[in-house]
Amino acid sequence: MKRLAIVALGSSILIFIATIAAYWFFITQDDREPSRLAFTDNCSDCHGQGNNGPDLFARLRLEETADSLANKILTQHADLIVGAQFDEPMIKALALYILERRQELPSILESHNYRIPRGLVRTQLHDFTVQLVTKVGKGPYSIAPLPDGRILLVEKVRGLTLVDKLGNQGELIEGTPRVWQEIIEARGSLAVLGSMLDVELHPDYSRNGWIYLSHSDRCQLDCASPWPVTMVRVIRGRLDGNRWVDSEEIWSVNKSSYTVVPDAVASGRLTFDHDGHLYVTVGGKSSYDNLHDMNTPYGKIHRIRDDGSIPDDNPFWQKTPIDITSSRNTVWSYGHRTAQGLATNPLDGTIWATEMGPRGGDEVNLIKRGGNYGWPLYTEGLNYNADYIKIGQELGLDFDISETITPIVDFTPAPSLSNFTFHYGNQFPAWRNDLLIGSLRAQTLFRIRIENNKAVDKERLLTRLGRIRDVEMGTDGFVYLLIEHDETGSLLRIRPHL
């Protein structure tokens, strides 16, 4: 017991030191950003607001791409580039900084502010209003509207609750997996090990009552770790009043795959296809050398049956015997960074995901069986130190981009895409089957129309709203948004203007 106490004390001290270091790094990140400093030192005398040169931040240039702008900088300011000793990635980083300013992307700190619009919001196809359903607690992450008009709501560090049709949020539902308080809160963001993640209804919920929950399961000494470690786990259960009953484990991995990487990159998004298979996203909750190892769960989308059994037509399935620590039999696709959104096209049953890139390179992806999505060897984004992403080369990854599934839509600069839905209600008929995609840093609700696997229309429906964590269709045909802001959040409803 004494030895365990010493180990626990030592691990607590290490975690405290690491947390303080991470906190300092996080709160000073914007001030230390290299391209911001480079622009201030070398470009702002001519191109800052009110100076002699053209205002590079003017929104009239909104549709210019990072590559085209980088090429202009390279060709029109060759002497400056030589004098400042800018390398090629710094030129692209400058282009990204300019485009971020044009799109008025807030800092991470500023993104935790929010503004619910008053009055009518006018857009290309439908005008609407935004209504507050209810204020919610800390760390809102996901919602699942029920057929009777109530809404299941997950808060990462609180748990699962029900919001009734009048907007009243009930007490925590008893019997769900334990969640843990944040280790630290920095600028509104939570560092957590042991949180609740997504909630999803079974496609036949009205008949069987099954509700699926993903959470980051936590262990420490009981899994031979000197510090807390977590990993995505999926369960299902039913509601009996305000109690979670009939709980069953649906998907989990061996404890050896649990890691100390915080849950912000856990993902844990859920969706069902038309055949009743459940898909689970797992982010890069480990070192990146594991993302292309089929025996590990990280950076992958997994596929199982609704009861947790494993289909033998999964692309990397192997007949037993198999290493008990391997998760390869459930892998459906790989090479993902952090798939923060997952949804099924209601028309054809295809699976789609949104993925956060680094600085640039957010993606909307059509998920294909056995697909390699390229990270970390291929991305349109840069590292946060204004350098190319070199992790893939350093790890010895060697495959041609033609062997990867490239994104249907690339977002560069990166708005920090979150969860999304396909619109299928009758309240906004002109949005039929368009993707409604939330974003965190950009605080923007995007509408994207895809035809023949190409984006043919893209619109910002709402901006400066708040960090949009989830977007779902209600059974009433309205669109529901879950946003986080300050230290809490809000559940919102979008209603058409009649």
Side-chain angles (χ1 to χ4, degrees):
M1 291 296 294
K2 184 176 180 181
R3 183 178 180 182
L4 289 177
I6 293 173
V7 170
L9 177 61
S11 65
S12 298
I13 293 172
L14 288 174
I15 291 172
F16 176 77
I17 294 172
T19 300
I20 294 299
Y23 177 77
W24 173 86
F25 181 85
F26 193 61
I27 65 173
T28 61
Q29 185 176 5
D30 291 332
D31 294 336
R32 293 181 290 102
E33 201 284 303
S35 63
R36 175 182 179 273
L37 298 177
F39 185 91
T40 301
D41 292 343
N42 298 279
C43 310
S44 60
D45 285 348
C46 293
H47 294 292
Q49 292 181 344
N51 292 323
N52 296 328
D55 182 3
L56 297 181
F57 302 149
R59 289 178 60 84
L60 59 90
R61 307 164 183 265
L62 193 62
E63 298 307 317
E64 195 166 26
T65 68
D67 288 339
S68 64
L69 182 55
N71 188 58
K72 283 185 181 179
I73 296 171
L74 183 63
T75 55
Q76 297 178 11
H77 296 283
D79 292 342
L80 183 149
I81 291 169
V82 172
Q85 298 182 329
F86 288 160
D87 56 13
E88 187 175 293
M90 176 56 82
I91 298 170
K92 183 171 182 177
L94 278 170
L96 283 173
Y97 174 71
I98 294 167
L99 292 178
E100 288 166 354
R101 291 289 302 272
R102 286 182 192 172
Q103 294 181 13
E104 299 179 344
L105 284 182
S107 67
I108 295 174
L109 178 61
E110 292 167 341
S111 74
H112 286 272
N113 299 326
Y114 76 108
R115 177 184 60 85
I116 300 175
R118 297 180 179 179
L120 192 63
V121 178
R122 298 192 178 276
T123 66
Q124 293 176 15
L125 302 177
H126 287 291
D127 298 336
F128 56 83
T129 58
V130 181
Q131 300 176 331
L132 174 66
V133 177
T134 188
K135 291 286 185 70
V136 301
K138 184 180 291 186
Y141 193 76
S142 58
I143 53 175
L146 296 173
D148 63 7
R150 296 179 298 165
I151 297 175
L152 287 164
L153 187 148
V154 166
E155 295 154 298
K156 287 185 288 187
V157 296
R158 290 191 69 235
L160 182 66
T161 57
L162 268 170
V163 178
D164 69 21
K165 290 183 283 188
L166 298 177
N168 301 308
Q169 186 178 15
E171 297 296 321
L172 289 173
I173 292 172
E174 300 174 4
T176 58
R178 178 181 177 180
V179 295
W180 301 73
Q181 292 301 304
E182 66 272 19
I183 300 169
I184 195 169
E185 181 177 345
R187 302 167 75 180
S189 296
L190 306 178
V192 189
L193 284 168
S195 53
M196 196 166 290
L197 299 171
D198 207 5
V199 57
E200 183 78 7
L201 303 184
H202 189 282
D204 201 12
Y205 169 82
S206 296
R207 184 183 63 83
N208 60 36
W210 285 121
I211 300 167
Y212 291 73
L213 277 177
S214 62
H215 70 110
S216 58
D217 185 41
R218 171 165 159 164
C219 66
Q220 188 173 347
L221 299 179
D222 53 340
C223 58
S225 174
W227 42 73
V229 290
T230 63
M231 186 56 203
V232 175
R233 176 176 175 260
V234 181
I235 64 170
R236 73 176 180 180
R238 297 183 174 98
L239 289 182
D240 180 4
N242 206 50
R243 293 175 55 247
W244 181 265
V245 298
D246 302 332
S247 190
E248 299 176 358
E249 182 177 271
I250 296 298
W251 184 82
S252 64
V253 300
N254 189 273
K255 293 290 196 294
S256 63
S257 294
Y258 284 39
T259 74
V260 75
V261 178
D263 296 342
V265 296
S267 299
R269 291 297 184 183
L270 306 174
T271 195
F272 283 92
D273 67 17
H274 286 180
D275 295 320
H277 297 108
L278 176 65
Y279 296 76
V280 185
T281 67
V282 177
K285 203 176 180 317
S286 178
S287 55
Y288 285 134
D289 58 328
N290 285 310
L291 271 60
H292 290 259
D293 179 352
M294 294 306 121
N295 291 309
T296 72
Y298 321 110
K300 300 177 179 72
I301 295 177
H302 298 264
R303 174 182 181 253
I304 52 179
R305 296 190 183 96
D306 64 346
D307 63 357
S309 60
I310 302 173
D312 59 11
D313 62 345
N314 279 353
F316 306 102
W317 185 87
Q318 286 184 348
K319 200 170 185 178
T320 53
I322 189 172
D323 183 350
I324 62 169
T325 67
S326 174
S327 53
R328 69 176 300 122
N329 279 2
T330 63
V331 173
W332 185 253
S333 62
Y334 65 102
H336 300 284
R337 186 173 182 264
T338 303
Q340 292 281 6
L342 192 67
T344 303
N345 186 327
L347 296 185
D348 60 17
T350 51
I351 306 300
W352 293 72
T354 49
E355 189 161 335
M356 279 192 188
R359 189 181 181 197
D362 281 13
E363 300 174 352
V364 177
N365 286 312
L366 172 60
I367 303 303
K368 297 184 178 182
R369 180 184 186 274
N372 174 5
Y373 287 79
W375 177 263
L377 192 58
Y378 295 105
T379 176
E380 290 297 319
L382 289 178
N383 211 332
Y384 297 105
N385 64 358
D387 198 359
Y388 289 131
I389 301 292
K390 299 176 181 177
I391 309 168
Q393 294 93 326
E394 292 168 354
L395 293 174
L397 296 178
D398 185 18
F399 48 84
D400 191 77
I401 194 170
S402 63
E403 300 175 47
T404 70
I405 310 297
T406 55
I408 301 298
V409 186
D410 172 81
F411 283 78
T412 300
S416 302
L417 295 181
S418 56
N419 209 12
F420 67 104
T421 188
F422 287 86
H423 186 276
Y424 55 84
N426 55 12
Q427 299 285 355
F428 300 92
W431 292 351
R432 178 172 169 77
N433 218 47
D434 289 351
L435 281 75
L436 303 181
I437 305 175
S439 61
L440 301 180
R441 180 184 175 189
Q443 304 176 297
T444 296
L445 178 66
F446 296 95
R447 180 186 64 84
I448 298 180
R449 178 162 298 171
I450 294 177
E451 296 177 357
N452 299 317
N453 291 337
K454 291 185 179 179
V456 297
D457 191 17
K458 180 178 175 181
E459 180 184 12
R460 294 173 174 86
L461 297 177
L462 290 164
T463 60
R464 300 184 182 180
L465 181 67
R467 293 169 61 87
I468 305 171
R469 276 291 177 184
D470 203 1
V471 185
E472 299 290 345
M473 294 300 306
T475 54
D476 52 13
F478 300 135
V479 179
Y480 287 83
L481 308 177
L482 185 64
I483 67 172
E484 62 180 13
H485 49 75
D486 304 325
E487 295 184 357
T488 56
S490 298
L491 176 61
L492 309 176
R493 178 193 296 117
I494 296 179
R495 298 180 65 111
H497 175 66
L498 303 178

